[in-house]
Each structure stands twice: as structure tokens, then as C-alpha cells.
């Protein structure tokens, strides 16, 4: 269902790789709500992904940008304003990658060159994106910037590896930069802490199937899907949430406030009986 919540708003959406991507669902929903945007992803991801199909479907243009490159980001922001015909109202940072995770390097045995690369891609890229937008004065007043995160930033999930540290850094950047963006440009900055979701990045985490099933059983409302996340993001881009900023917003069916659920306890007791 569409409510025209984003009519007349312009944005940039990072991170749509394939139709499972949270950014992909968000782009579809933003389009339905009347928003126009530029799609962007790392040049290498474009070859793997199906982003052209999404661009066609949503009437969007694509500008490749490696989110770790200041030069690419400057070009992206400049060109986006040209293409969209004005300043930006919303930005989705939906980017995450850990080489240690990908290559099965344990948290206690990290390759620090890989750790640094992962931090640059998954967290510092958010600072670089905001610094570029800020310096170019590219955001309209009451604009909204959202990045996606996971609760391993606050609590221990052993297999999340160095991504846990990257997410803690990302959330801190949202608060720190959000202060200056709010004070100087009336722009809000938030992170959404999303349930485990079956995407390329999500499924890369060791033991993901168990992880997602456990969260499903623990959450009173069940796991939030990628589409649910897209809808929540639309609300944060809309004028209905103008004074929500500097927040890490849990979007997880209630998981983050649970100790244990009947379903998890029953499964545990059954397992113990064996
Ligand atoms: P995805 O794999 O579809 O998206 C990750 C995106 O990051 C890809 O499009 C990839 O090309 C992009 N990317 C990687 N390196 C890049 C670079 N140097 N420059 C620009 N883009 C780059 O997976 P998903 O799950 O949609 O991930 C989106 C966000 O949601 C990530 O921040 C992820 O950590 C977060 N998240 C995912 C959860 C899950 O269980 N899938 C749970 C909570 C948060």
C-alpha cells in the first residue's frame, strides 16, 4: 500500500546488490511512496548484481561509487544533485563487508589488513559519506540519513566476528556526526538495528541458519523481514519523524529486550532431554 509519504523527495540509496538486499526492497518501497533517487554500489558489485533491473523498475539512474573513496563519493553527490534536480532529502547507507568473516578467520586470529578494510567499508564509509554531503551542503533541511546495523554492536554474538566492532563504530559515527548535521543543517541521522535477514551479507555469517531461527523463536513478533525494514526506513525518511535523531532504533520484533521466550526454553529443555 502506498501513502505518498515521500512525494517530491530526492535521495541516494547505497547497497542494492540483488533482490534480497535490504536496500533493494527499500528502493522499491521508496519508489512506491513517490520518492526519486540515484542508486549506487561499488563498481565490482555492479558486475555481480542485478542493479540495472532495479534502476529500470524504479526509473532511477545508477552512479558507481566505492564508498571508501572520497573522490567517488564527491562525484556521486555532485552528479546526484544534477540528476535529481536539487539537494538531497534522504540517504540510505546499506553497506557491510568483513574479509575476516568471508575467509573464515576467527575473531581471535584476525588478519589486521582485512580488519582495516572491513572497518573502512562497513563503518568509516558512513563518515565519509556524511562528510561529503556536509561539505557540499548537499542535504535539504529536515533531510534524513539512515544506516543499517546489528545488535552485535551491544551484545556478544561470537560468529559476527569483527563486524560487531564495525557496527559499534558505525553507530557511534551516527551519533557524533548526527549532532553536527542536526545543529548546522537540521538533518537527522539514525541507525536501524535490524533482525538477521537472509541476504548475501547476512548469509555470510557462520551458522546463519541457526542464528536466524533462534532470533525468530526469541522475538515475540518474529524476525523483521527486509520488506519490514524498508517500510521502517520509509517512515524515517518521511516528514512524520522529523525530530527523531541520534538514535539506534531496534527493528527486531522485540528480540533486543528479551531474556528468554517459551519457544526457546522449550527447545532447550527438549535438547537437554536427549
Ligand atoms: P547485501 O549483501 O545485499 O548488501 C551489502 C552491500 O554492501 C552490497 O550491495 C555490497 O555491494 C555493498 N558494498 C560492499 N562493499 C562496498 C563498497 N566498498 N562500496 C559500496 N558498497 C559496498 O546485504 P544486506 O543484508 O542487505 O546488507 C545491508 C546492510 O544491512 C549492511 O550494513 C548489513 O550489515 C546490515 N544488516 C544486515 C543484517 C542481515 O542479517 N542481513 C542484519 C542487520 C544489519
Amino acid at each position: 500500500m502506498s501513502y505518498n509519504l515521500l512525494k517530491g523527495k530526492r535521495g541516494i540509496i547505497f547497497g542494492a546488490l540483488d533482490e534480497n538486499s535490504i536496500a533493494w526492497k527499500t528502493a522499491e518501497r521508496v519508489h512506491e511512496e513517490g520518492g526519486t533517487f540515484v542508486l549506487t554500489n561499488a563498481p565490482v558489485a555492479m558486475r555481480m548484481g542485478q542493479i540495472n533491473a532495479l534502476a529500470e523498475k524504479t526509473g532511477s539512474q545508477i552512479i558507481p561509487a566505492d564508498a571508501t573513496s572520497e573522490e567517488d563519493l564527491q562525484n556521486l553527490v555532485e552528479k546526484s544533485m544534477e540528476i535529481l534536480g536539487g539537494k538531497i532529502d534522504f540517504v540510505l547507507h546499506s553497506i557491510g563487508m568483513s574479509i575476516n568473516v568471508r575467509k573464515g578467520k576467527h575473531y581471535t586470529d584476525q588478519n589486521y589488513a582485512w580488519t582495516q578494510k572491513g572497518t573502512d567499508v562497513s563503518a568509516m564509509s558512513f563518515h565519509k559519506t556524511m562528510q561529503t554531503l556536509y561539505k557540499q551542503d548537499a542535504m535539504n533541511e529536515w533531510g534524513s540519513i539512515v544506516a543499517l546495523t546489528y545488535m552485535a554492536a551491544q551484545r556478544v554474538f561470537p560468529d559476527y566476528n569483527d563486524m560487531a566492532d564495525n557496527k559499534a563504530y558505525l553507530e557511534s559515527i551516527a551519533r557524533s556526526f548526527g549532532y553536527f548535521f542536526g545543529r548546522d543543517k537540521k538533518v537527522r541521522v539514525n541507525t536501524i538495528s535490524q533482525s538477521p535477514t537472509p541476504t548475501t551479507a547476512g548469509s555470510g555469517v557462520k551458522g546463519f541458519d541457526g542464528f536466524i531461527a533462534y532470533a525468530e523463536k526469541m522475538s515475540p513478533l518474529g524476525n523483521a523481514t527486509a520488506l519490514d525494514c524498508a517500510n521502517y526506513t520509509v517512515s524515517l525518511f518521511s516528514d512524520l519523524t522529523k525530530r527523531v535523531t541520534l538514535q539506534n532504533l531496534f527493528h527486531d520484533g522485540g528480540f533486543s529486550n528479551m531474556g528468554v521466550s517459551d519457544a526457546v526454553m522449550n527447545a532447550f529443555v527438549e535438547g537437554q532431554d536427549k
Side-chain angles (χ1 to χ4, degrees):
M1 204 190 293
S2 167
Y3 308 90
N4 254 339
L5 283 172
L6 304 178
K7 192 160 178 254
K9 293 195 187 292
R10 312 176 183 103
I12 302 176
I13 297 181
F14 289 80
L17 180 67
D18 57 33
E19 62 184 10
N20 297 318
S21 299
I22 298 170
W24 187 287
K25 304 276 188 236
T26 309
E28 288 179 335
R29 285 294 295 120
V30 168
H31 176 63
E32 285 168 14
E33 293 295 338
T36 53
F37 47 84
V38 160
L39 293 166
T40 183
N41 210 325
V44 56
M46 301 215 161
R47 289 198 291 275
M48 290 153 46
Q50 303 128 37
I51 198 167
N52 285 327
L54 180 64
E56 212 166 290
K57 188 174 173 188
T58 58
S60 313
Q61 292 199 37
I62 304 167
I63 303 178
D66 175 348
T68 65
S69 156
E70 289 178 70
E71 205 186 324
D72 282 11
L73 290 170
Q74 279 155 13
N75 176 60
L76 169 68
V77 170
E78 262 170 46
K79 293 261 165 63
S80 295
M81 287 194 287
E82 272 170 40
I83 291 169
L84 298 168
K87 287 200 202 183
I88 306 299
D89 299 292
F90 61 86
V91 175
L92 176 67
H93 178 286
S94 184
I95 299 172
M97 191 278 301
S98 159
I99 309 178
N100 287 306
V101 167
R102 215 193 270 164
K103 303 218 176 195
K105 264 283 192 197
H106 195 260
Y107 186 76
T108 58
D109 181 33
Q110 290 186 39
N111 173 323
Y112 292 117
W114 296 349
T115 308
Q116 246 166 2
K117 180 72 190 158
T119 303
D120 200 11
V121 170
S122 308
M124 213 183 302
S125 64
F126 192 38
H127 194 287
K128 289 177 181 171
T129 300
M130 286 199 281
Q131 187 165 293
T132 306
L133 291 160
Y134 183 89
K135 283 188 171 171
Q136 290 194 22
D137 195 20
M139 293 294 295
N140 274 323
E141 282 196 356
W142 303 111
S144 174
I145 300 173
V146 169
L148 297 179
T149 186
Y150 181 59
M151 210 183 59
Q154 288 81 34
R155 300 196 192 164
V156 177
F157 292 86
D159 290 327
Y160 209 64
N161 209 323
D162 57 333
M163 276 306 287
D165 306 327
N166 293 336
K167 291 304 192 190
Y169 184 16
L170 178 86
E171 291 176 18
S172 177
I173 289 171
R175 285 186 295 272
S176 302
F177 219 122
Y179 167 70
F180 295 106
F181 243 135
R183 187 193 68 180
D184 301 341
K185 319 260 187 202
K186 291 197 167 52
V187 168
R188 58 199 190 277
V189 182
N190 296 288
T191 47
I192 296 178
S193 188
Q194 164 69 7
S195 294
T197 313
T199 62
T200 304
S203 314
V205 176
K206 196 173 137 215
F208 186 76
D209 291 347
F211 207 49
I212 197 167
Y214 172 74
E216 174 74 22
K217 275 199 191 310
M218 190 65 117
S219 314
L221 295 181
N223 288 332
T225 64
L227 178 59
D228 293 329
C229 188
N231 284 326
Y232 192 32
T233 305
V234 164
S235 77
L236 288 174
F237 288 164
S238 81
D239 291 334
L240 300 177
T241 53
K242 273 171 96 167
R243 282 199 169 77
V244 180
T245 196
L246 312 185
Q247 302 299 312
N248 179 43
L249 301 159
F250 288 103
H251 181 251
D252 62 2
F255 180 87
S256 47
N257 268 346
M258 289 300 295
V260 73
S261 66
D262 293 334
V264 167
M265 187 53 91
N266 290 340
F268 175 71
V269 171
E270 276 167 28
Q272 280 214 319
D273 288 345
K274 280 186 190 144

